Amino acid sequence: MELVLSLGIGVLVASGVWLLLRPRTYQVIIGLSLLGYAVNLFIFSMGRLKSNAAPVVPGAEVDPSTFADPIPQALVLTAIVIGFATTALFLVVLLAARGFTGTDHVDGREPER
Amino acid sequence: MTDANLLLFLVLLPFAGSVAASLLPRNARNAEAWLSGLVALAAFTITAFLYPAVREGGVIRREAQWLPELGVNFTLRMDGFGWMFSVLITGIGLLVVIYARYYMSPKDPVPRFFSFLLAFMGSMQGLVIAGNLIVLAIFWELTSIVSFLLISYWHHNQAARDGARMALTITGIGGLALLVGLMLIGHIVGSYDLDVVLASGDKIRGHELYSTALVLILLGALTKSAQFPFHFWLPNAMAAPTPVSAYLHSATMVKAGVFLLARLWPVLSGTDEWFFLVGLTGMATLMLGAFYAIFQQDLKGLLAYSTISHLGLITTLLSLGSPLAAVAAIFHMINHATFKASLFMAAGIIDHEAGTRDMRRLSGLFSFLPITATLAMVASAAMAGVPLLNGFLSKEMFFAETLEKHHGSILDGLAPYAATIASTFAVTYSVRFIHTVFFGPKPVDLPHEPHEPPHWMRLPIELLVLICLIVGIVPSITIGPYLHTAVVAVLGSETPDYSLAVWHGLNTPLIMSVIALVGGTALYLALRRYLATCEDGTPFLRNLKGQRIFERILVTISWRWARWIEANLGTRRLQPQLRLVVFAAFVAGLVPLFRGGFRLPNVSFDGLDPTFAAFWAVGIVCALGAAYQAKYHRLAALILMGGAGIVTCITFIWFSAPDLAVTQLVVEVVTTVLILLGLRWLPKRLEEVDNSVRPMDRMRRHRDFGLAVICGVGMAILAYAMMKRPETDTIANFFLENAYSEGGGKNVVNVILVDFRGFDTFGEITVLGIVALTVFALLRRYRPAADSVGVPEQQRIQNMYDDARPDREIGSTVRDYLMVPSVLMQWMFPVIILLAAFLFLRGHDLPGGGFAAGVTMAIGFLLQYLGGGTRWVEDRLRILPVRWIAFGLMAAAVTGLGAWLFGMPFLTTYFQYTEIPLIGKVPTASALLFDLGVFSLVVGATVLILIALAHQSVRSYRVRASEAAKAEEDA
């Protein structure tokens, strides 16, 4: 299982980094989203992988070893929402930049040919 | 205890006055002066009232915890020495306020002036009674900053701006060095408390870091007290209004450096390093300052260099390391403050009355200003060290000390000669000041006719000169006891026997004084002709200006080097920058792994679930596809990205993170809609048959591809290795064990978010709100690119179709083809609201919670927009997203603040079980209210972002309509 997930993370990172280095703003936005998935999964996996062990406790008496680690989950949960917000901000900035410069190149002008 | 509280009052009162002064109207000169005067008077009275407590080595302490873990507490500590300075600060402060009332013109914005002046009083007061080294450093910086603001008070004046900037740069650098030096002292002693530090002299002097700490502290003290070679900022600071020069740049702030040297004298002095560093600097400053002062043409410039020289005298005295010299140093601090402040005020009157400070133009003013002239003469005589005035006493003590053997080096032998020469120069510039300005022929073509100023303006000078006189004539019964109090506070048991008499018999110091007086007058007579007309500045050294060197250094560092670096190492292109960032991140990840002996884990296929593997096969294909298609097929890339998102979501479910899965799912929906809305405004891009790819481009792509691959492989290996490591005990156990008993919830993730780490969540929702408002603000002024303004192609085709048929109107197709979905969406609206409520309410005990519920609710609104169109929805439903955001933040903050009512820290949760009829006992936690805030904010933020973006289509429609109307009109 770990192998599959780490391969998945690796591919997401590679795709994300590739897009991040492209010249068009839309590519960068997709790349950042993919990188976001990868990072969230990576942080999440730091709590190790456990199935059927959601951190929902029955009451005051618990055996911690039978539950998944709640800390990375709490971290990732807010990261997902903040990720949406930053994607929105970036999208609007790129739209505004395109309105100003007339191009969707990340440098705000077409490369000289 | 009362005394201790008065200390705090003493520091806070001027700051409170400063705030009050800033609020008064612009032309309220009298009100400002009354306010500031009363504040200064109150502070002076408090200081006087505290005298019994500091006599005979008494110390008042007031300690308030600040950062006790670091040993930094807000400690105020007043002993006799601090008391003496406190008297100078409040007393001269009061006089300066009275003087400034008449000095400032009605056109000047006085609130700013008095506000800064009082802020300075508070900072300086804090500096001299700080009982903790760090607190001292903070007040030290405050005085530098306020000094900057006061020098640049007339900021329309270039010289004022330059002088202020230079003063801040020099004293700021010194302040930084001082902070490090004080921290080193704190490290050596193990405490920042001044009492502890003062008791550990041997420990400090014996420590290997002593020299480093000493050099750093001296850098701070010597820059502040304008000692050679850092002296040049002080003459440039004379661009400040004269009350400021009198107060900050002669009586108080520049004394901060020598104050600190005297304060730490018991623990730092007595070593070779101290003697040579402080002594050489002091002597050089003493002589150069006096020499430069002779050749100044500006009255204030003369006084500034004279100040530098006198501060050099104090520094020299402190360098000697003998208790008697320290007594003389402390005595001279008082004396110099009194005569120099009065001289500055006199110079200000002359400037005010005659309209110029240039000594080449001033002459014969005695007949116009007889009283001021007399006062200035007495004060200058004190400056020159004429008997029966206070300057004479401390100068005699200084001469006597230079004659003693302190160190046995060549410096020691030179000291008496240096002292006599400097003193001769002092006589020369004092005589020159008086003779040039007040005697000689009547002035010609002055800007206006001078006459005596209002009596109140002269009063401060009269008082100060009176002090000079009585201290000079009967020192032991006037200043004696107070000086003794200050000396005991610094020297403690080392306090020597000394006598403050005017007549000590015919001894060597007296002979030195006579030589200086006679020689100085003779030197003036010799130079008189030359000085009357010469250019401003010192002969031979005119071109060697500290100021010019300073500016050259500044330009080199902040302009030339910066430009060079920018030109040679910088780029304005984003791609190389990002490439560098990614590469640096990769290296930063790699290096610690190598150094920590990282070994690749054994790859095992244990427990591999084929279903899960199949999901990820899809996920991987989606990710690669999105990367491949993002340039030419944006919609496809968006769909593929969503695919990767869904697989991520499934992974969360699979590995026991239902909360994450729910949140990821709903966020996925809004993200997709968001980007879809954005796609409308992006340019068309057709896949061209690209033969023109240059080899350089191809190489860049290969390089990027390589970078992407190594990053991906690296992350995969890292993730795998980490996941394969055996689990260790973490703080997770604490959260799992205490979630129910302390947080009152069973869903641990939610309890962490709204309770244990509630403050973090509060910060995060604040960020979310800020981002939403930023998006909103950015879009309000949005202008789409020219090629995106037109109607989208699809709508055009639909409209053409409608247009071609007589039975259809334009827009029918758009309405019709969403008919079924829009009905469904309307019907689903209440269901979705219910779902959101459900997710929200169960959140504390079961997967759900404010974040997921908020986004769900936003989706509900969004679907109505999708189905019915912007205008249809807004005719029927008023959503005010900004209010949702405001309410959310308020709810979260108020819930957190509520804990204060019960004496608990911010955001402490309260919970208990309440009996609800029919349902039974349910846990109610105040965290639920906090979560309500989260919910409301997430709804508001999400809806605001999406609606703002959606509105652009409506707006561009309006733009088109108005343009069309205009075109018709024109036709």
Side-chain angles (χ1 to χ4, degrees):
Chain A
M1 302 301 265
E2 286 87 357
L3 188 67
V4 175
L5 183 56
S6 43
L7 274 179
I9 292 175
V11 172
L12 283 172
V13 168
S15 315
V17 168
W18 163 255
L19 285 176
L20 201 62
L21 301 174
R22 295 302 86 219
R24 300 294 155 186
T25 45
Y26 186 74
Q27 293 174 303
V28 178
I29 212 171
I30 298 283
L32 280 177
S33 296
L34 291 178
L35 262 184
Y37 293 143
V39 170
N40 283 347
L41 282 170
F42 182 74
I43 295 175
F44 168 69
S45 70
M46 291 300 101
R48 309 299 186 276
L49 305 180
K50 279 183 191 168
S51 290
N52 299 321
V56 178
V57 293
E61 298 295 314
V62 288
D63 172 14
S65 64
T66 56
F67 294 100
D69 191 341
I71 298 171
Q73 296 196 16
L75 290 175
V76 171
L77 200 145
T78 46
I80 293 172
V81 181
I82 296 279
F84 162 71
T86 46
T87 307
L89 185 61
F90 181 42
L91 182 77
V92 171
V93 168
L94 86 81
L95 290 182
R98 180 168 137 67
F100 270 122
T101 61
T103 166
D104 67 340
H105 194 280
V106 287
D107 295 337
R109 57 165 184 235
E110 291 295 323
E112 290 148 24
R113 283 268 161 187
Chain B
M1 199 60 224
T2 348
D3 286 355
N5 284 334
L6 281 177
L7 276 194
L8 186 66
F9 200 58
L10 198 56
V11 175
L12 292 184
L13 185 67
F15 284 113
S18 165
V19 174
S22 67
L23 299 175
L24 289 174
R26 197 183 140 86
N27 53 358
R29 263 201 308 173
N30 287 324
E32 291 284 354
W34 273 107
L35 172 76
S36 316
L38 286 176
V39 167
L41 185 66
F44 184 74
T45 317
I46 292 173
T47 312
F49 182 76
L50 291 174
Y51 183 65
V54 297
R55 265 178 63 193
E56 299 303 325
V59 171
I60 316 167
R61 275 178 70 92
R62 187 185 194 286
E63 194 161 345
Q65 297 231 316
W66 180 14
L67 296 169
E69 299 88 352
L70 301 177
V72 179
N73 288 321
F74 191 80
T75 312
L76 297 176
R77 170 189 181 281
M78 184 188 265
D79 58 5
F81 188 49
W83 181 86
M84 180 196 101
F85 258 87
S86 191
V87 169
L88 286 180
I89 293 160
T90 53
I92 297 185
L94 177 61
L95 299 179
V96 164
V97 167
I98 298 171
Y99 177 79
R101 156 64 186 81
Y102 296 93
Y103 179 85
M104 302 308 286
S105 114
K107 276 173 276 169
D108 292 320
V110 279
R112 193 152 54 89
F113 179 80
F114 283 102
S115 176
F116 290 158
L117 202 70
L118 286 177
F120 171 77
M121 192 185 288
S123 318
M124 192 68 204
Q125 190 64 59
L127 169 63
V128 296
I129 60 171
N132 186 294
L133 295 184
I134 302 297
V135 176
L136 189 146
I138 289 170
F139 280 116
W140 183 282
E141 287 299 307
L142 270 177
T143 58
S144 293
I145 292 166
V146 184
S147 154
F148 166 79
L149 293 169
L150 279 169
I151 298 171
S152 61
Y153 175 72
W154 285 318
H155 50 60
H156 48 80
N157 183 345
Q158 172 80 32
R161 294 199 299 270
D162 288 349
R165 200 184 52 195
M166 187 187 297
L168 185 68
T169 313
I170 301 289
T171 54
I173 291 170
L176 196 63
L178 176 77
L179 178 65
V180 180
L182 291 178
M183 282 163 76
L184 282 180
I185 294 284
H187 170 74
I188 296 170
V189 178
S191 166
Y192 291 115
D193 196 279
L194 194 58
D195 280 312
V196 183
V197 171
L198 289 180
S200 356
D202 291 331
K203 197 171 171 186
I204 294 172
R205 284 187 297 267
H207 200 274
E208 56 185 359
L209 284 172
Y210 167 75
S211 309
T212 321
L214 179 70
V215 168
L216 288 166
I217 289 176
L218 287 181
L219 262 178
L222 299 178
T223 49
K224 193 82 162 183
S225 279
Q227 298 293 290
F228 181 80
F230 311 111
H231 63 280
F232 53 88
W233 71 262
L234 190 59
N236 283 295
M238 291 300 135
T242 302
V244 173
S245 309
Y247 192 30
L248 273 71
H249 304 125
S250 75
T252 53
M253 191 188 83
V254 288
K255 294 271 184 345
V258 284
F259 166 82
L260 187 74
L261 291 184
R263 182 88 278 178
L264 296 177
W265 187 87
V267 294
L268 291 181
S269 73
T271 60
D272 282 358
E273 293 100 315
W274 172 274
F275 178 73
F276 280 110
L277 283 173
V278 183
L280 268 177
T281 317
M283 262 185 235
T285 315
L286 169 68
M287 294 187 52
L288 284 174
F291 181 65
Y292 275 50
I294 299 174
F295 299 96
Q296 298 303 309
Q297 296 294 10
D298 179 9
L299 269 186
K300 282 177 81 178
L302 183 149
L303 293 177
Y305 276 107
S306 149
T307 304
I308 293 172
S309 164
H310 279 275
L311 290 167
L313 187 153
I314 299 172
T315 310
T316 313
L317 276 170
L318 288 168
S319 77
L320 298 175
S322 85
L324 264 175
V327 174
I330 295 168
F331 191 28
H332 198 66
M333 288 181 203
I334 310 175
N335 294 338
H336 177 253
T338 47
F339 66 69
K340 194 50 70 62
S342 60
L343 278 172
F344 265 109
M345 291 185 196
I349 290 179
I350 294 162
D351 183 16
H352 215 248
E353 295 301 326
T356 177
R357 301 193 310 246
D358 191 329
M359 279 191 274
R360 282 164 298 197
R361 299 178 65 189
L362 293 167
S363 104
L365 287 183
F366 189 86
S367 51
F368 299 98
L369 306 164
I371 308 176
T372 309
T374 315
L375 294 170
M377 273 183 247
V378 179
S380 320
M383 173 161 80
V386 172
L388 293 185
L389 289 163
N390 60 355
F392 171 72
L393 297 173
S394 40
K395 199 188 61 182
E396 287 292 284
M397 289 165 92
F398 169 56
F399 284 162
E401 276 312 305
T402 54
L403 290 167
E404 296 288 321
K405 278 274 167 277
H406 292 288
H407 199 261
S409 68
I410 185 156
L411 211 55
D412 221 20
L414 282 175
Y417 300 100
T420 316
I421 294 171
S423 203
T424 309
F425 291 158
V427 173
T428 308
Y429 64 69
S430 303
V431 173
R432 172 168 186 233
F433 174 41
I434 295 305
H435 188 261
T436 317
V437 176
F438 296 115
F439 299 98
K442 291 249 175 279
V444 278
D445 106 81
L446 282 181
H448 37 85
E449 175 88 348
H451 45 74
E452 281 290 344
H455 181 241
W456 281 95
M457 190 170 181
R458 224 171 43 219
L459 180 77
I461 311 181
E462 289 168 358
L463 283 173
L464 288 170
V465 167
L466 188 68
I467 294 173
C468 290
L469 271 168
I470 57 170
V471 168
I473 296 167
V474 279
S476 50
I477 57 166
T478 49
I479 193 78
Y482 305 110
L483 179 65
H484 185 70
T485 303
V487 167
V488 169
V490 173
L491 298 177
S493 56
E494 282 185 78
T495 308
D497 285 328
Y498 60 91
S499 91
L500 289 180
V502 181
W503 181 251
H504 280 118
L506 192 65
N507 50 12
T508 326
L510 191 66
I511 296 169
M512 289 161 79
S513 277
V514 173
I515 294 173
L517 283 170
V518 175
T521 319
L523 184 61
Y524 171 66
L525 292 174
L527 286 173
R528 200 175 137 196
R529 198 65 54 76
Y530 169 74
L531 286 173
T533 51
C534 79
E535 228 181 294
D536 191 33
T538 325
F540 317 121
L541 300 171
R542 203 169 276 137
N543 292 325
L544 189 73
K545 273 193 174 165
Q547 182 187 357
R548 200 167 297 167
I549 298 169
F550 170 81
E551 269 161 11
R552 194 158 295 168
I553 291 173
L554 218 59
V555 163
T556 309
I557 292 177
S558 70
W559 181 249
R560 289 215 192 105
W561 290 3
R563 287 295 293 242
W564 186 88
I565 290 173
E566 206 251 338
N568 288 288
L569 301 174
T571 169
R572 295 195 172 187
R573 292 170 54 223
L574 184 70
Q575 284 171 285
Q577 294 178 23
L578 280 179
R579 204 172 289 133
L580 213 61
V581 169
V582 170
F583 186 71
F586 176 74
V587 172
L590 196 65
V591 169
L593 286 184
F594 258 112
R595 296 179 60 177
F598 178 76
R599 244 177 294 135
L600 282 178
N602 292 325
V603 177
S604 78
F605 294 89
D606 290 347
L608 186 71
D609 191 306
T611 324
F612 187 68
F615 274 129
W616 265 107
V618 174
I620 287 172
V621 170
C622 283
L624 294 175
Y628 184 63
Q629 298 290 1
K631 187 165 187 185
Y632 294 114
H633 301 279
R634 297 196 185 109
L635 185 62
L638 178 62
I639 294 168
L640 287 167
M641 188 189 94
I646 295 297
V647 174
T648 307
C649 180
I650 290 170
T651 310
F652 287 143
I653 302 178
W654 202 285
F655 296 117
S656 323
D659 281 290
L660 295 191
V662 172
T663 315
Q664 178 78 60
L665 195 64
V666 287
V667 166
E668 205 56 53
V669 173
V670 286
T671 309
T672 309
V673 174
L674 174 85
I675 298 182
L676 277 175
L677 285 169
L679 280 182
R680 152 89 178 74
W681 304 103
L682 287 173
K684 266 204 185 102
R685 176 158 291 114
L686 295 176
E687 197 161 3
E688 57 225 73
V689 186
D690 218 353
N691 301 328
S692 64
V693 178
R694 293 175 304 175
M696 229 177 75
D697 290 343
R698 186 164 295 145
M699 210 179 76
R700 200 173 59 210
R701 278 185 206 173
H702 286 316
R703 193 172 49 194
D704 290 350
F705 186 77
L707 198 54
V709 168
I710 59 166
C711 283
V713 171
M715 276 298 276
I717 292 174
L718 190 63
Y720 186 69
M722 193 62 204
M723 283 186 259
K724 274 296 184 190
R725 281 171 72 92
E727 204 173 356
T728 49
D729 274 348
T730 62
I731 47 168
N733 294 355
F734 169 83
F735 290 127
L736 287 164
E737 278 159 7
N738 293 298
Y740 192 69
S741 53
E742 307 230 326
K746 293 178 182 167
N747 181 2
V748 185
V749 175
N750 187 270
V751 173
I752 292 176
L753 284 176
V754 299
D755 187 345
F756 289 123
R757 307 298 305 161
F759 202 63
D760 295 359
T761 311
F762 188 58
E764 271 148 0
I765 59 173
T766 313
V767 170
L768 198 60
I770 293 170
V771 169
L773 291 173
T774 314
V775 167
F776 181 59
L778 273 174
L779 285 175
R780 275 171 60 120
R781 298 242 171 260
Y782 174 61
R783 287 267 168 277
D787 57 332
S788 300
V789 176
V791 180
E793 191 179 359
Q794 190 193 3
Q795 272 184 40
R796 214 165 48 232
I797 295 171
Q798 286 167 338
N799 288 345
M800 266 160 56
Y801 173 80
D802 290 339
D803 213 20
R805 304 206 163 195
D807 57 328
R808 296 182 76 85
E809 298 171 33
I810 288 181
S812 303
T813 309
V814 185
R815 258 197 310 281
D816 291 353
Y817 89 117
L818 270 176
M819 183 62 113
V820 175
S822 72
V823 171
L824 278 179
M825 287 171 190
Q826 278 168 41
W827 286 6
M828 286 303 282
F829 191 42
V831 181
I832 292 173
I833 294 178
L834 202 66
L835 178 66
F838 171 69
L839 281 174
F840 173 72
L841 286 174
R842 78 203 289 259
H844 214 43
D845 284 330
L846 287 164
F851 280 110
V855 185
T856 309
M857 185 76 187
I859 292 174
F861 288 128
L862 199 62
L863 285 179
Q864 302 316 303
Y865 273 82
L866 283 180
T870 313
R871 253 162 287 162
W872 183 86
V873 179
E874 287 177 0
D875 286 345
R876 287 158 183 78
L877 196 65
R878 269 174 72 78
I879 314 166
L880 302 164
V882 180
R883 298 225 178 136
W884 284 77
I885 293 176
F887 171 77
L889 266 186
M890 287 276 284
V894 168
T895 313
L897 291 174
W900 280 354
L901 291 181
F902 303 96
M904 304 290 232
F906 187 60
L907 283 173
T908 308
T909 308
Y910 168 81
F911 86 97
Q912 70 163 44
Y913 292 87
T914 29
E915 188 82 38
I916 294 181
L918 298 177
I919 298 175
K921 274 192 175 176
V922 286
T924 29
S926 68
L928 196 69
L929 278 175
F930 182 79
D931 215 13
L932 184 67
V934 173
F935 166 79
S936 169
L937 188 130
V938 171
V939 174
T942 316
V943 171
L944 183 64
I945 291 172
L946 291 169
I947 290 183
L949 202 48
H951 265 245
Q952 298 311 316
S953 301
V954 184
R955 271 185 51 188
S956 72
Y957 175 80
R958 283 199 207 112
V959 170
R960 276 201 306 279
S962 71
E963 270 170 12
K966 214 192 233 167
E968 236 164 69
E969 261 174 43
D970 291 346

